[in-house]
Amino acid sequence: MKKYPLLFSVTISLSLALAACAPSPAASAAEQTLEALYLEQTVEALTAPEEPAQAEEPEIIEEPTATREIVHTITPGEPGWVSQWWLDTNSSSTAAQKRANGGDDLSINLLERPFSAEAMDYRPDIDLIRVELSHNPTFYYFSLHLSGVNPATSTLSAHYGVEIDLDRDGRGDVLLWVAGDGNSEWNIAEVWVLQDENNDVGGPRPVLADAPGGGGNGFEKALFSPELLDDPDAAWKRVDPSDPTVMQLAIKRSLLGNAGAFFWRAWADDGVKDPWLFDYNDVFTLAQAGSPISGQTNYPLKELALVDNTCRLAWGFEPDADAPGLCSVPQPTATPVPPTQTPVPPTPTVTETPFPIIT
């Protein structure tokens, strides 16, 4: 039997089917044209190659993000006996006058600026008024007393820190830095310990102002952070459960190389908040920073606002009197007496200048 191509067979079949109902000779030319067009379209539809079926895209199922379980083996306790303390300038008494109560000297990186830029609105949660150091065999504890809480949040909501100069050369080596969140339980959320690995904090002249262009890259290396928890017990923070105006920080002595002697100073900062720009007085000139002292040319505050720190306290050693940024301890002076009289030992006097207690 002779075989015909598929197209020919289909065409013949359609032709026979149409012939059975073919129009009479009297049919109009229009009808014949429509029938021919129908035949042509039908043949094209039957003979057109089939398009390949579209493959369905596989459904992507995202795996849940793995979370690291943090296991603490030791947690700080109560700070205990205060071994060293310092009273910082309290600007709450002059806040209504929109000025600091002294204590600000940008030339030696001593800042008393718990006010907003330009408007000079006072922030009590940035005004350090007393700082304390306590310790036990595992931790150093630092208690930072503020003038009050942030009126907008009803808690301590700035950044707080302790800068530690381990080699006592005037440059901070380690910065314990935390974000206040009102939590009164010891926790490690938003706690950092940063190191100045290349020793450039302080610029060419430690403590002294070297702006503009005198700064380095600050505290550029993390020793402890939310992403770096080689020892999850190394650094902590909390608000004192008995006093909502006290931020308490704890750091393991081992993270400081078990240092028993160092300089330290406290910070409260809700302005620049950038440890990579320390020291601030190497970055901002007085004209850029502004001044919190009314009547001065550069009053009010500008780019360096909402920040307070203390002078530098010496822990565990007797510092040189000319150590840069050192907290000055007033010494009683003897009253001159006539040579014929027996000198009387001077009576210590109480002054308004605070001094540290070391035990």
Side-chain angles (χ1 to χ4, degrees), residues 1-17 39 43 46-47:
M1 178 182 289
K2 188 173 181 181
K3 297 181 180 180
Y4 296 93
L6 175 62
L7 176 59
F8 179 76
S9 300
V10 171
T11 305
I12 293 298
S13 300
L14 289 172
S15 299
L16 293 175
L39 175 61
V43 171
L46 291 173
T47 59

Side-chain angles (χ1 to χ4, degrees), residues 223-236:
L223 301 179
F224 179 97
S225 74
E227 296 77 30
L228 181 61
L229 297 173
D230 295 339
D231 178 0
D233 303 335
W236 302 78

Side-chain angles (χ1 to χ4, degrees), residues 135-154:
H135 64 97
N136 62 27
T138 304
F139 291 102
Y140 280 115
Y141 296 90
F142 300 93
S143 296
L144 279 53
H145 295 248
L146 286 306
S147 177
V149 298
N150 184 348
T153 63
S154 299

